[in-house]
């Protein structure tokens, strides 16, 4: 079977794939059908936080698949409860809802915020403010939440009740917070938008205003969460506690899962029949995710910070690099003149996989990558940038 031709024939053409067929992976390496090896600085877009096919993770997943592969949420299961408890202990959240993706987690968070407001204030207080240049997902509602006009095409009508505020401008945000607003949703570091970190003062001021107006703060940590930025949640690095946090990407270590974490006043909003998911909390996925949490301890996070600092130092001021952004192992590299997509293509030819985020090259290596492997991959990137 000609995989590439059949993909074009049978898979809906929503992706512009690179000319690379990946057939296997181990740690931070993956392999194509000819056996060529690549250092992967993409982690399947921030998903494979323990690398490809981590042995302990795969064993946990396989053992669970042989014991109880799936049942429904009509019954109790152990991995789901253990994972929820562990997430609450790690984050200070009170309760967790499990879905299957980032977009779905954000949909859940929006439902929590709207119901919180409806229960307390009645109808008419349902607007969610998000930031310009944000990315929150691909469903009709999360596209509406995404503060980029390019995403607001074709699929009309989009869900009502979203407005967008300029980042880093607390006055502009405050001006949007009228009595129709129930929540503000932000990414601490915008991922798809170009690896752009909010500054600390902005986030603290935002937290304060939200408290004063009883507006919920939703942290979309789908990309920044689960150790990516060197703390378990990026919110810890900012010293703020959101009312709702969403996780997905890295949480499953390679299997689909999304989570809505609620804190304090948001904890009792969702009661019986207010939300649900057939696959949410699936035992196999949760067993893998528990392994991810078990591995990401304080020493692991310190190592992520160390490797992140190493990468930043190596890239900062190098030839062809205009600027560096991000935190931990979520890194944006702005080239002086080259197009980010061309750099990624050149990387593939030289055995290094990278991502783009707008005009930047985006690096989301597995959190388990060694400094030596990172060094070797960055040498390839720097050589491309210097040409
Ligand atoms: C990837 C991403 C999403 C969407 O996640 P899916 O699992 O693709 O639905 C939402 N928010 C952020 C910040 C993301 O990076």
């Amino acid at each position: 079977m000609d995989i590439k031709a059949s993909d074009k024939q049978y898979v809906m053409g929503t992706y512009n794939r690179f000319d690379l067929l990946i057939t296997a992976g181990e740690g931070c390496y993956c392999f194509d059908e000819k056996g060529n090896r690549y250092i992967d600085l993409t982690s399947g877009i921030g998903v494979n936080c323990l690398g490809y096919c981590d042995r302990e993770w795969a064993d946990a997943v396989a053992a669970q698949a042989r014991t109880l592969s799936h049942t429904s949420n009509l019954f109790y299961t152990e991995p789901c409860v253990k994972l929820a408890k562990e997430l609450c202990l790690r984050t200070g959240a009170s309760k967790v809802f499990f879905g299957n993706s980032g977009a779905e987690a954000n949909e859940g968070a929006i439902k929590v915020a709207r119901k919180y407001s409806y229960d307390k204030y009645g109808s008419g207080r349902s607007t969610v403010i998000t930031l310009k240049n944000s990315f929150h997902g691909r469903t009709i509602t999360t596209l509406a939440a995404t503060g980029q006009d390019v995403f607001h095409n074709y699929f009309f009508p989009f869900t009502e009740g979203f407005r967008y505020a300029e980042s880093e401008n607390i006055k502009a945000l405050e001006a949007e917070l009228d009595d129709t607003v129930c929540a503000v949703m932000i990414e601490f570091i915008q991922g798809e938008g170009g690896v752009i970190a909010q500054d600390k003062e902005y986030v603290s001021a935002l937290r304060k205003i939200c408290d004063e107006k009883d507006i919920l703060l939703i942290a979309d940590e789908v990309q920044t969460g689960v150790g990516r930025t060197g703390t378990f949640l990026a919110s810890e690095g900012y010293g703020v506690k959101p009312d709702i946090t969403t996780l997905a990407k890295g949480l499953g270590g390679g299997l689909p899962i999304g989570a809505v974490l609620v804190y304090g006043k948001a904890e009792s909003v969702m009661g019986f029949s207010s939300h649900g998911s057939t696959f949410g909390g699936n035992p196999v996925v949760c067993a893998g995710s528990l392994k991810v949490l078990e591995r990401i301890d304080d020493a692991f996070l310190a190592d992520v910070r160390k490797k992140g600092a190493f990468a930043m130092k190596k890239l900062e001021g190098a030839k062809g690099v205009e600027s560096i952004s991000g935190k931990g192992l979520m890194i944006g590299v702005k080239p002086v003149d080259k197009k980010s997509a061309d750099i990624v293509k050149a990387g593939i030819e030289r055995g290094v996989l990278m991502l783009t985020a707008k005009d930047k090259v985006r690096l989301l290596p597995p959190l388990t990558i060694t400094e030596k492997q990172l060094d070797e991959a960055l040498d390839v990137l720097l050589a491309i940038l210097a040409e």
Side-chain angles (χ1 to χ4, degrees):
M1 179 175 176
D2 181 336
I3 302 289
K4 292 174 189 173
S6 298
D7 185 282
K8 286 191 174 67
Q9 184 173 355
Y10 296 112
V11 179
M12 202 183 283
T14 61
Y15 304 106
N16 186 15
R17 301 198 203 278
F18 289 104
D19 188 24
L20 178 62
L21 167 62
I22 297 178
T23 53
E26 191 185 344
C28 73
Y29 301 111
C30 64
F31 302 88
D32 66 17
E33 79 282 19
K34 297 180 207 102
N36 295 313
R37 192 180 84 171
Y38 302 82
I39 303 180
D40 187 349
L41 303 184
T42 77
S43 307
I45 318 191
V47 167
N48 301 328
C49 52
L50 304 179
Y52 286 98
C53 311
D54 176 83
R55 180 50 68 90
E56 282 185 25
W57 174 88
D59 285 348
V61 166
Q64 186 61 48
R66 291 198 189 92
T67 309
L68 177 70
S69 50
H70 179 77
T71 177
S72 72
N73 280 309
L74 299 174
F75 308 106
Y76 294 101
T77 55
E78 187 175 310
C80 163
V81 186
K82 278 188 165 168
L83 181 60
K85 180 178 176 189
E86 190 57 32
L87 277 171
C88 288
L89 292 175
R90 291 292 290 262
T91 62
S94 313
K95 289 190 186 329
V96 181
F97 176 87
F98 291 116
N100 311 286
S101 70
E104 206 186 326
N106 287 338
E107 292 254 355
I110 292 161
K111 284 180 72 172
V112 174
R114 285 187 169 175
K115 186 165 183 298
Y116 172 81
S117 206
Y118 185 88
D119 289 347
K120 199 160 168 185
Y121 302 98
S123 60
R125 195 176 182 274
S126 55
T127 302
V128 177
I129 307 297
T130 64
L131 297 183
K132 289 184 181 161
N133 198 50
S134 56
F135 180 80
H136 296 297
R138 296 285 198 158
T139 61
I140 298 274
T141 294
T142 55
L143 281 174
T146 293
Q148 302 186 53
D149 289 341
V150 288
F151 288 102
H152 303 152
N153 283 309
Y154 324 122
F155 313 113
F156 304 101
F158 289 96
T159 307
E160 285 174 38
F162 293 91
R163 292 204 307 262
Y164 319 104
E166 204 74 60
S167 301
E168 300 300 327
N169 183 341
I170 200 72
K171 286 271 170 311
L173 189 108
E174 209 169 353
E176 296 291 341
L177 301 183
D178 57 25
D179 58 9
T180 69
V181 175
C182 65
V184 175
M185 177 155 77
I186 65 162
E187 297 157 87
F188 290 107
I189 303 175
Q190 292 184 336
E192 305 302 313
V195 195
I196 301 167
Q198 307 297 331
D199 66 46
K200 258 188 165 160
E201 294 75 61
Y202 175 81
V203 172
S204 310
L206 175 59
R207 176 68 278 185
K208 192 159 162 277
I209 299 169
C210 286
D211 281 339
E212 284 163 12
K213 296 181 183 274
D214 197 20
I215 287 169
L216 299 190
L217 179 60
I218 305 173
D220 177 350
E221 294 228 35
V222 168
Q223 192 159 149
T224 55
V226 197
R228 178 54 58 189
T229 69
T231 45
F232 186 72
L233 297 179
S235 59
E236 296 166 44
Y238 278 83
V240 299
K241 203 164 185 180
D243 301 295
I244 309 172
T245 295
T246 57
L247 299 175
K249 292 196 165 88
L251 181 58
L255 285 172
I257 184 169
V260 185
L261 278 55
V262 291
Y263 307 73
K265 62 188 180 185
E267 77 181 44
S268 316
V269 171
M270 300 297 266
F272 170 62
S273 91
S274 60
H275 202 30
S277 163
T278 299
F279 288 114
N282 168 276
V284 175
V285 180
C286 289
S289 185
L290 269 166
K291 220 16 119 178
V292 170
L293 294 203
E294 194 182 302
R295 291 275 287 283
I296 302 186
D297 58 12
D298 288 342
F300 185 102
L301 290 169
D303 191 45
V304 170
R305 292 194 291 275
K306 185 163 162 275
K307 290 180 291 198
F310 166 80
M312 297 279 189
K313 187 155 174 263
K314 190 170 166 91
L315 293 164
E316 188 89 64
K319 190 158 181 250
V321 175
E322 185 168 309
S323 61
I324 305 295
S325 61
K327 205 172 178 199
L329 287 174
M330 178 173 183
I331 300 170
V333 183
K334 188 167 184 192
V336 171
D337 48 13
K338 291 192 166 58
K339 285 210 174 83
S340 54
D342 292 341
I343 294 169
V344 168
K345 276 193 198 118
I348 294 173
E349 280 161 25
R350 297 179 206 194
V352 175
L353 305 188
M354 296 172 281
L355 297 160
T356 63
K358 299 271 173 72
D359 57 349
K360 289 180 186 160
V361 174
R362 177 174 40 149
L363 310 178
L364 299 173
L367 305 179
T368 50
I369 194 169
T370 66
E371 202 166 288
K372 191 159 167 287
Q373 291 162 335
L374 193 55
D375 194 36
E376 188 186 334
L378 292 178
D379 279 337
V380 173
L381 170 60
L382 286 175
I384 297 166
L385 283 161
E387 275 164 12

